[in-house]
Amino acid sequence: MTSSPLDVLVVGGSGVDTVVRVPALPVPSADAHQVGPIREQPGQTGGNVALGCRALGLDVALLDHIGDDWPGRLVRERLAAGGVALEALVSPAGTRRAVNLVDPSGRRMSFYDGRDPADLRIPRSFHLPRLRRARHIHLSIVNFARFLLDDIEELGIPVSTDLHDWDGVADHHREFALRCDVVFLSAAGAGDRVAEVMRDILREGRARIVVATAGEAGSLLLTRDGGGPLPVPAVVPPAPVVDSNGAGDAYVSAFLLGLLTGHGPERCARLGSVAGAHACTGEGNTALIGRAELLAAAPY
């Protein structure tokens, strides 16, 4: 470990997606379907946010448990190629996996194998010096990440999280929702209740910004010092959509860039929209936008 400062420390959430192209979602019932080449894509949410931040010129590291296995090697190689410093402990259960079914429009259905044992932890002697280096910490909602929250709060470091498809009820997500400064979630999880869930997060927790992403419908932004939720329109992708997997992670990366460079929440959300649209034009995390292109595509 080096002692150089970090703009962003991402905690947890790396793994490998097995991507299967299917003719339609839902997949018609049958014993077998002929599909195109099946691809292994290293990244997942934590890896993708780290790679997205690094592509935007931020100094970033990923703190995680990764298996000593071939998926773990794929993750290590992808992060190294993307310039992300990896601070890893070996997971006894192996590297996280998922199978993603992706239709021709880029929509996906994911089958996630988190596989971390319930008692998996990062020793305090390992995580604490790494937390101290960071200007901002982004927590994936892996279980062991919640045990860093006390130290993060004591250190006074801003922290964000992505609740993904939280419905506003499931207990696993609640501590992350209520103990982070910036909270992202997918509007799909809460459905018609998304605005209510966003307001509950602000009212019950410490968040100052809550963002709900909604794909082609754009995103919703709610802050403590503003009304809302404020709709933020989506951006038309600059090329045909290939894969929506990773678009939300790219949105988060660009939003964090905006915060760390002094922009207000609405501007950050516009940056996120551009980055998310750009990410859809490639497979997984292969179409990450750079800072100059992002800022040029999202003028004031």
Side-chain angles (χ1 to χ4, degrees), residues 248-260:
D249 301 322
Y251 183 111
V252 168
S253 300
F255 198 104
L256 296 182
L257 171 70
L259 287 180
L260 289 167

Side-chain angles (χ1 to χ4, degrees), residues 68-91:
D68 183 15
D69 48 25
W70 71 265
R73 290 192 292 275
L74 291 180
V75 171
R76 290 177 173 89
E77 290 167 2
R78 177 66 184 97
L79 293 174
V84 173
L86 176 61
E87 305 281 354
L89 296 170
V90 174
S91 170

Side-chain angles (χ1 to χ4, degrees), residues 19-90:
V19 181
V20 183
R21 295 278 171 179
V22 296
L25 286 175
V27 177
S29 178
D31 287 343
H33 290 279
Q34 188 70 30
V35 298
I38 295 174
R39 181 176 54 85
E40 307 295 341
Q41 178 64 54
Q44 294 194 352
T45 183
N48 289 346
V49 170
L51 288 162
C53 287
R54 187 71 193 114
L56 292 168
L58 296 171
D59 291 320
V60 60
L62 174 68
L63 175 62
D64 203 359
H65 283 276
I66 296 177
D68 183 15
D69 48 25
W70 71 265
R73 290 192 292 275
L74 291 180
V75 171
R76 290 177 173 89
E77 290 167 2
R78 177 66 184 97
L79 293 174
V84 173
L86 176 61
E87 305 281 354
L89 296 170
V90 174

